[in-house]
Short mmCIF file of all heavy atoms in Angstrom, two decimals:
data_model
loop_
_atom_site.label_atom_id
_atom_site.label_comp_id
_atom_site.label_asym_id
_atom_site.label_seq_id
_atom_site.Cartn_x
_atom_site.Cartn_y
_atom_site.Cartn_z
N SER A 349 1.32 -18.60 -17.17
CA SER A 349 2.08 -17.37 -16.90
C SER A 349 2.20 -16.51 -18.15
O SER A 349 2.04 -15.28 -18.09
CB SER A 349 3.48 -17.72 -16.38
OG SER A 349 3.41 -18.39 -15.14
N LEU A 350 2.47 -17.14 -19.29
CA LEU A 350 2.60 -16.38 -20.54
C LEU A 350 1.27 -15.76 -20.95
O LEU A 350 1.22 -14.61 -21.43
CB LEU A 350 3.11 -17.31 -21.66
CG LEU A 350 4.56 -17.80 -21.50
CD1 LEU A 350 4.90 -18.81 -22.59
CD2 LEU A 350 5.54 -16.63 -21.53
N GLY A 351 0.18 -16.49 -20.74
CA GLY A 351 -1.14 -15.94 -21.04
C GLY A 351 -1.48 -14.75 -20.17
O GLY A 351 -2.03 -13.75 -20.65
N MET A 352 -1.14 -14.83 -18.90
CA MET A 352 -1.41 -13.73 -17.98
C MET A 352 -0.54 -12.52 -18.30
O MET A 352 -0.96 -11.37 -18.12
CB MET A 352 -1.17 -14.17 -16.54
CG MET A 352 -2.15 -15.22 -16.05
SD MET A 352 -3.87 -14.62 -16.11
CE MET A 352 -4.76 -16.14 -15.73
N LEU A 353 0.68 -12.74 -18.78
CA LEU A 353 1.55 -11.64 -19.16
C LEU A 353 0.96 -10.87 -20.34
O LEU A 353 0.95 -9.63 -20.36
CB LEU A 353 2.95 -12.14 -19.50
CG LEU A 353 3.95 -11.07 -19.93
CD1 LEU A 353 4.17 -10.06 -18.81
CD2 LEU A 353 5.29 -11.71 -20.33
N PHE A 354 0.43 -11.59 -21.33
CA PHE A 354 -0.21 -10.93 -22.47
C PHE A 354 -1.42 -10.14 -22.01
O PHE A 354 -1.66 -9.02 -22.46
CB PHE A 354 -0.62 -11.96 -23.52
CG PHE A 354 -1.21 -11.34 -24.76
CD1 PHE A 354 -0.40 -10.83 -25.76
CD2 PHE A 354 -2.59 -11.24 -24.90
CE1 PHE A 354 -0.94 -10.23 -26.89
CE2 PHE A 354 -3.15 -10.64 -26.03
CZ PHE A 354 -2.32 -10.14 -27.03
N ASN A 355 -2.17 -10.71 -21.08
CA ASN A 355 -3.33 -10.04 -20.51
C ASN A 355 -2.92 -8.73 -19.85
O ASN A 355 -3.57 -7.68 -20.02
CB ASN A 355 -4.01 -10.96 -19.50
CG ASN A 355 -5.27 -10.37 -18.92
OD1 ASN A 355 -5.99 -9.63 -19.57
ND2 ASN A 355 -5.54 -10.67 -17.66
N ALA A 356 -1.84 -8.77 -19.07
CA ALA A 356 -1.35 -7.58 -18.37
C ALA A 356 -0.89 -6.51 -19.34
O ALA A 356 -1.20 -5.32 -19.18
CB ALA A 356 -0.21 -7.97 -17.42
N MET A 357 -0.16 -6.92 -20.37
CA MET A 357 0.40 -5.96 -21.33
C MET A 357 -0.65 -5.41 -22.30
O MET A 357 -0.40 -4.43 -23.00
CB MET A 357 1.55 -6.62 -22.09
CG MET A 357 2.71 -7.01 -21.21
SD MET A 357 4.12 -7.72 -22.09
CE MET A 357 4.77 -6.26 -22.90
N SER A 358 -1.82 -6.03 -22.33
CA SER A 358 -2.90 -5.53 -23.20
C SER A 358 -3.58 -4.30 -22.61
O SER A 358 -4.32 -3.60 -23.29
CB SER A 358 -3.95 -6.63 -23.43
OG SER A 358 -3.38 -7.71 -24.14
N GLY A 359 -3.36 -4.05 -21.32
CA GLY A 359 -3.98 -2.90 -20.69
C GLY A 359 -5.37 -3.20 -20.17
O GLY A 359 -5.89 -4.30 -20.35
N SER A 360 -5.98 -2.21 -19.55
CA SER A 360 -7.29 -2.39 -18.91
C SER A 360 -8.42 -2.20 -19.91
O SER A 360 -9.32 -1.37 -19.72
CB SER A 360 -7.42 -1.40 -17.75
OG SER A 360 -6.37 -1.55 -16.84
N VAL A 361 -8.39 -2.98 -20.98
CA VAL A 361 -9.35 -2.79 -22.07
C VAL A 361 -10.78 -3.12 -21.65
O VAL A 361 -11.74 -2.46 -22.05
CB VAL A 361 -8.94 -3.63 -23.31
CG1 VAL A 361 -7.81 -2.96 -24.05
CG2 VAL A 361 -8.55 -5.05 -22.92
N GLY A 362 -10.94 -4.15 -20.82
CA GLY A 362 -12.27 -4.50 -20.35
C GLY A 362 -12.87 -3.40 -19.49
O GLY A 362 -14.06 -3.10 -19.58
N GLN A 363 -12.04 -2.78 -18.65
CA GLN A 363 -12.51 -1.68 -17.81
C GLN A 363 -12.94 -0.49 -18.65
O GLN A 363 -13.93 0.18 -18.34
CB GLN A 363 -11.39 -1.25 -16.85
CG GLN A 363 -10.87 -2.35 -15.95
CD GLN A 363 -11.91 -2.88 -15.01
OE1 GLN A 363 -12.71 -2.12 -14.46
NE2 GLN A 363 -11.96 -4.18 -14.83
#
Side-chain angles (χ1 to χ4, degrees):
S349 296
L350 292 175
M352 293 300 171
L353 180 61
F354 183 81
N355 183 33
M357 297 183 72
S358 296
S360 304
V361 283
Q363 302 297 320

